[in-house]
Structure formats: structure tokens, C-alpha cells
Amino acid sequence: MKSIIKPLWSYDVQKTEQWLTDQAKEGYHLKELRRFKRRFTFEKSLPKDVTYRIGYDKIKPATLSNTMRNDGWEKVTKTGKWYVIANERPEGKVTTSTSRDAIIKRNNFIFYGFMAILIYITGAMLMNLALFTTIYFASNGNVERVESPFWIITYIGSALATAFYFFMIYSVWKIKRANKALSQESQTTYAPHHTLEKKNLTKAEEKQLKREGLIIKRRKFGWMYSPDKLEKWLEQQATEGNRLHRVNKLGTTFYFRKGEPQHIKYSADYQNLSNDTYFEIHRQAGWKDIFSSKGAIQKWTIWSKEYEEGETPPALYSDKTHKLKQAKKVALSYTVLFLPLVLMYLFIASMNISYMFRKEEAWTLHDTNTIMFFICILVFGTFITKTWMYYMRLRRA
Amino acid sequence: MTETAFYILLSLTEPRHGYGIIKHVEEISSGRIRLGSGTIYGTLTKMQKDGVITVFADAERKTVYEITDSGKELITAEIERLKELHGNALKYEGEFL
């Protein structure tokens, strides 16, 4: 018996799996993993070659699939949503493996969570720093420093905070790397399938084509609030011979390449936290992903598929139920995002408006602020309304 | 159970890829049903959450879907229900002619 505590084992499961294999080679075989204690318990017996896989499953009575069991996999231990499976067959004989998707999804969730906290803390820190430096310079350096009476607590507190800050930076970096590796594991086989045309064009070539008028640029803002209109617009462009070539990173500028008129079906699709299986299944079905947004909350993908004249146009969603469910997700997501802002601004603006008429001066900075608040309310309100109108349009269709 | 869900589950007589399911459903419905990959993805994700199916990666690291024991129970119950529908449809069909 031997116990090892590995606090950050879940950040890099590939490394942990390799570590378990190395342990088995020395005769230590995994018996139990305790999630909260982060403790791996091993039993000593004969050295063996064992392949390990760590899996993550939200479903409680997670059963190992029959195919995997027939392939020699056995469940070793289970703790919370995590489980460890092992295979004693030689590596070349094993043909199956766990899907990495659930782990990538979980990692992404933690990644974005830590990122949000980091950005918040960094922002607050810079603000304080700016405040202190302003005071310092404004008073020509004549600042009196008062020692904290509980200096031990202050210093320990700041030391802990700093340690936590660096731990989060480390976590974000580590998770990003681990996820990239996990993703690559599954993408190697079908990646060449979706190589887009843009990869064949260098920046200089694109510039040349633009100068010759063979590539045209069109701007489109706020299309995510009415994606069906974007789809129609892109399809219309295709029939006029303008094939969507690429979209800039922000998703605001569309580059079309001039050519023969074509029948292309476009689909702008929204996912909460998209994953590899999502891309895999659509690419297998012949869709090309032209654009994917990078944001954490807004995960848009623009898919395209060609079809022949007279053929029924392909559809990403072949039934109305799923299409509506998708549209509802879009509308709800943007409502959750913008409604709190609208309400907050409405509250502030309504307090300001009475002040606007009570005071004597004609126009102050305060009034400009109030106007700005109303513009914000209008803009964000339009976004919410647009997404629900999109949902209603689909329902009527 | 919707027609889409039924046909997806019915095509899992053996583990298949997402696109394999689309092709198979098209085949057994004689081209009547052409499932969109978004529809398939949505249904499969839901089924996985419900424990009706499970996934693994094959030798090429592609995602494969397999029916679970509770999934088998579900589809058998549905087939029984459809048998009854079918039987009654044949039995009373003549009365409407």
C-alpha cells in the first residue's frame, strides 16, 4: 500500500495517466482515487504494463460501454464525476478509448471562471494603483504612510492574495495547454477534411485579389441578433457569384470571392460552450466551418454547404423543434446578458431625469451622462427585442 | 418519443459515428428522412445526458455512439407500443375505406 497526494492531477489528465502507467510498471497498481483529498492509493504487486484512461461523466450510474469492455477496459475507481479505467492488453491491440469531450468541456468551464476572476482582480488592482499614484504625485510625494496596527494580518493577507493570484494565472495557463493537447488527440484524423480555401491564400495574394476587385469586403454588425437574416444575405450573395471567403476575427467584416453563381446553404449556429464532437459531427456531414467566434459567452459558428440546382437545400436542423430550441437559446442567452444592464441603466437614468429639470444650470456633464444612459438602454433593448423577433419569425415559419 | 429520436436509437443496433447514423436512417427510411447534423447532435447530447446512450473514441479517435442497457429497454418498450399501433392500424384500416 502506498498513498500519493497529487493536488493538481486533473489539470493535465494525460500526464496523470502516464504517471499511473509508470507506477504500474514499478508494481504499484491504482486501487482508489479520492477526489477531495486528491489522494491516489496504490497496491503493491507484480510490475505490469497497464494503460490508464481518466474519464469524466456527469451521469451518475456511468456504465462503461460494451465495446470498451470487450476491448479489455475495466473500471478501477470512481469518485464523484471522475473515473479511472485500465487496460492490461498491449497498447497496439487496444482500439478504443474514452471520449475526451467531457473533460475538455469541464476544463473550459474552469478556464473561463478563473479568467473572469483574474480580469476582475487585475482591473481592481490597476484602479487602486492609479488612485494611489495620482494622490502621490498630486501631493508631490508628501504622503504620510500609516502602519497598519495589525501588520501581521495585513502582510499575511496580502501574501495569501498574491499566492492565490499567481495560482490562478498558473491554472489558466496549465488548463489551456492541457486542453489543446486533448483536442489535438482527437482532431488529427479529420482535420485535413475541413481545410478551407483561405489556407491556400497568403496575405499578399489576398491583397492582390482585393486590388483586382476579385475579393470584396462587406461589413455586417450585430448579425448574431438576427442570424436568419445573415444566412439569407449570404445565400443571396452566393447566387450572385459572391462566395464567402472568410470572416474577420471579430465577425464584423465579410470577405467574398467573385466567381460563378453557386447554391450554398449557410447556417449560423450558436452553442454555449462548443466542443470537439460538435465540430466533428458537422464536418463529417459535409459542412464547412467558415467562422468561429472566440468569445466565452458568444460561441457562433457559420457553417456552409454547397448543393446542386434542383436539389433540396441541406439543413443543419432538419426539424422545427430543434431549430426553435436553438433560437430560444439565442434569445434567452442575450436576454440574460443584456436585461440586467438595461434594468440597471433604467434605474440610474430615472433617478437622474428628475434632477435634470430641477437644477438651474442649462446643461451639465450630468445631463450628457443621462443621455448616454438612455442610448445604452435603447441599444441593449434593441438587441433583446431583435433576438426574440428572430425566435418569433422561426415559430411562424 | 419523436420520430427523429426513434430512428436515431433504432439505428444503434451497432455502435456508429454521427454521420453513420445519418446515413443509416436515410437508408432504412428509403431516403424519406434526412437528418441534419445539428438535429442529430442535439438529440445525441440529450440522450447521453439521459443515460440512453454512451460514447467512446475509436482507433481513429472519432466519437462513436453506443446504446446502453437502459436505452435498450427504452427502444424495446417503444417498439412494443408501435407494434400495437401497427396492429390496430391494420385491423381497423378497412372500416375507413
Side-chain angles (χ1 to χ4, degrees):
Chain A
M1 284 282 265
K2 156 170 117 163
S3 274
I4 297 174
I5 291 174
K6 238 178 140 56
L8 299 177
W9 66 271
S10 67
Y11 280 3
D12 194 343
V13 288
Q14 283 173 319
K15 205 172 142 197
T16 310
E17 284 163 358
Q18 187 54 47
W19 174 69
L20 290 172
T21 301
D22 293 343
Q23 291 290 325
K25 267 196 193 121
E26 287 169 25
Y28 291 102
H29 299 277
L30 182 71
K31 273 280 147 268
E32 199 188 24
L33 164 62
R34 288 294 194 88
R35 171 171 54 134
F36 290 118
K37 293 181 179 161
R38 280 130 213 277
R39 199 175 64 197
F40 292 78
T41 311
F42 297 90
E43 212 166 56
K44 174 96 185 156
S45 69
L46 293 175
K48 255 189 235 165
D49 280 323
V50 187
T51 315
Y52 285 95
R53 276 282 177 274
I54 296 171
Y56 185 83
D57 226 325
K58 279 200 169 154
I59 318 133
K60 276 281 141 145
T63 46
L64 205 54
S65 93
N66 285 328
T67 316
M68 285 190 80
R69 227 176 300 153
N70 294 337
D71 204 28
W73 290 102
E74 257 174 80
K75 212 164 243 190
V76 181
T77 175
K78 186 174 177 338
T79 171
K81 288 166 190 165
W82 293 97
Y83 60 84
V84 182
I85 54 172
N87 202 331
E88 290 186 11
R89 290 188 192 171
E91 222 173 297
K93 288 258 167 66
V94 181
T95 56
T96 59
S97 179
T98 48
S99 165
R100 297 298 202 183
D101 235 49
I103 296 182
I104 294 178
K105 230 176 183 170
R106 173 209 172 255
N107 281 355
N108 268 336
F109 191 74
I110 297 175
F111 175 79
Y112 288 126
F114 276 157
M115 261 318 227
I117 302 174
L118 266 180
I119 290 169
Y120 176 77
I121 294 181
T122 312
M125 223 155 57
L126 286 177
M127 199 109 104
N128 270 323
L129 207 66
L131 205 69
F132 281 123
T133 37
T134 327
I135 294 172
Y136 186 81
F137 283 113
S139 58
N140 290 323
N142 297 322
V143 181
E144 196 186 341
R145 193 157 150 263
V146 183
E147 275 297 329
S148 163
F150 303 105
W151 58 274
I152 288 189
I153 297 175
T154 315
Y155 284 124
I156 289 177
S158 53
L160 279 177
T162 316
F164 184 61
Y165 189 75
F166 282 107
F167 166 72
M168 276 198 297
I169 291 178
Y170 171 77
S171 300
V172 163
W173 172 76
K174 189 89 192 165
I175 289 172
K176 186 98 196 159
R177 262 188 38 170
N179 255 10
K180 211 172 161 190
L182 283 175
S183 224
Q184 258 164 10
E185 205 180 74
S186 59
Q187 276 188 345
T188 41
T189 47
Y190 65 94
H193 272 291
H194 71 277
T195 315
L196 290 172
E197 288 167 81
K198 72 174 171 201
K199 304 250 161 68
N200 306 333
L201 275 183
T202 61
K203 269 227 160 93
E205 281 172 327
E206 198 183 288
K207 244 190 187 152
Q208 181 59 32
L209 285 169
K210 223 184 284 171
R211 228 175 288 130
E212 286 166 19
L214 292 173
I215 282 186
I216 45 171
K217 208 163 107 177
R218 295 263 161 83
R219 281 184 209 285
K220 193 105 183 157
F221 295 103
W223 54 265
M224 44 287 275
Y225 311 112
S226 36
D228 54 335
K229 285 185 179 163
L230 176 87
E231 288 166 10
K232 278 213 190 85
W233 179 63
L234 290 175
E235 280 155 23
Q236 181 61 35
Q237 291 289 335
T239 55
E240 286 168 17
N242 299 329
R243 183 197 186 90
L244 184 58
H245 172 59
R246 74 180 182 96
V247 185
N248 74 338
K249 271 196 183 119
L250 287 170
T252 49
T253 314
F254 291 72
Y255 295 84
F256 296 93
R257 210 170 162 170
K258 283 213 174 282
E260 292 294 304
Q262 273 166 322
H263 293 282
I264 304 176
K265 174 84 189 161
Y266 289 96
S267 199
D269 194 42
Y270 178 86
Q271 294 289 319
N272 281 342
L273 269 179
S274 59
N275 53 45
D276 291 343
T277 318
Y278 171 76
F279 286 97
E280 185 186 321
I281 206 163
H282 293 316
R283 283 172 188 163
Q284 275 179 350
W287 292 88
K288 281 182 186 164
D289 44 327
I290 293 198
F291 167 73
S292 242
S293 58
K294 292 273 171 288
I297 310 157
Q298 287 183 17
K299 261 287 179 199
W300 283 95
T301 309
I302 299 178
W303 296 96
S304 82
K305 196 175 180 178
E306 278 173 57
Y307 62 97
E308 295 296 316
E309 170 102 59
E311 212 183 330
T312 20
L316 206 65
Y317 294 96
S318 49
D319 61 328
K320 205 174 166 178
T321 334
H322 278 91
K323 182 115 197 121
L324 277 182
K325 213 167 141 188
Q326 189 60 25
K328 201 172 204 168
K329 196 155 87 184
V330 173
L332 278 176
S333 300
Y334 283 114
T335 309
V336 167
L337 187 66
F338 291 125
L339 195 62
L341 288 176
V342 169
L343 293 178
M344 195 173 78
Y345 289 161
L346 210 60
F347 179 70
I348 303 172
S350 62
M351 292 215 310
N352 286 352
I353 196 112
S354 56
Y355 174 75
M356 223 168 148
F357 296 105
R358 258 191 288 123
K359 65 178 166 46
E360 270 138 38
E361 308 97 280
W363 192 261
T364 59
L365 191 68
H366 203 89
D367 295 332
T368 322
N369 271 342
T370 312
I371 301 289
M372 283 307 286
F373 277 126
F374 275 110
I375 292 174
C376 283
I377 292 167
L378 201 73
V379 170
F380 292 147
T382 323
F383 291 165
I384 299 175
T385 323
K386 266 186 157 177
T387 52
W388 285 104
M389 272 164 66
Y390 155 61
Y391 173 70
M392 293 313 280
R393 269 201 302 278
L394 284 191
R395 248 181 70 163
R396 274 196 307 269
Chain B
M1 199 187 285
T2 60
E3 194 181 67
T4 310
F6 176 73
Y7 264 120
I8 289 175
L9 218 46
L10 195 71
S11 62
L12 288 180
T13 43
E14 56 182 85
R16 286 181 206 275
H17 295 130
Y19 187 58
I21 297 172
I22 298 177
K23 277 276 140 214
H24 187 77
V25 169
E26 195 178 331
E27 218 175 280
I28 58 177
S29 71
S30 316
R32 185 175 65 88
I33 300 173
R34 279 199 190 164
L35 293 170
S37 44
T39 299
I40 283 265
Y41 178 71
T43 315
L44 289 174
T45 314
K46 176 85 181 14
M47 283 179 170
Q48 208 187 327
K49 248 181 226 159
D50 295 341
V52 177
I53 58 165
T54 150
V55 295
F56 63 90
D58 67 3
E60 294 177 309
R61 295 279 182 195
K62 281 184 180 164
T63 314
V64 184
Y65 300 88
E66 187 179 316
I67 197 163
T68 62
D69 289 339
S70 72
K72 279 179 191 162
E73 271 172 45
L74 190 72
I75 190 81
T76 344
E78 184 66 11
I79 288 173
E80 279 311 310
R81 194 180 71 87
L82 289 173
K83 271 187 192 162
E84 184 209 291
L85 282 177
H86 178 69
N88 278 329
L90 291 183
K91 200 165 154 192
Y92 296 107
E93 167 184 49
E95 318 253 336
F96 296 100
L97 296 175

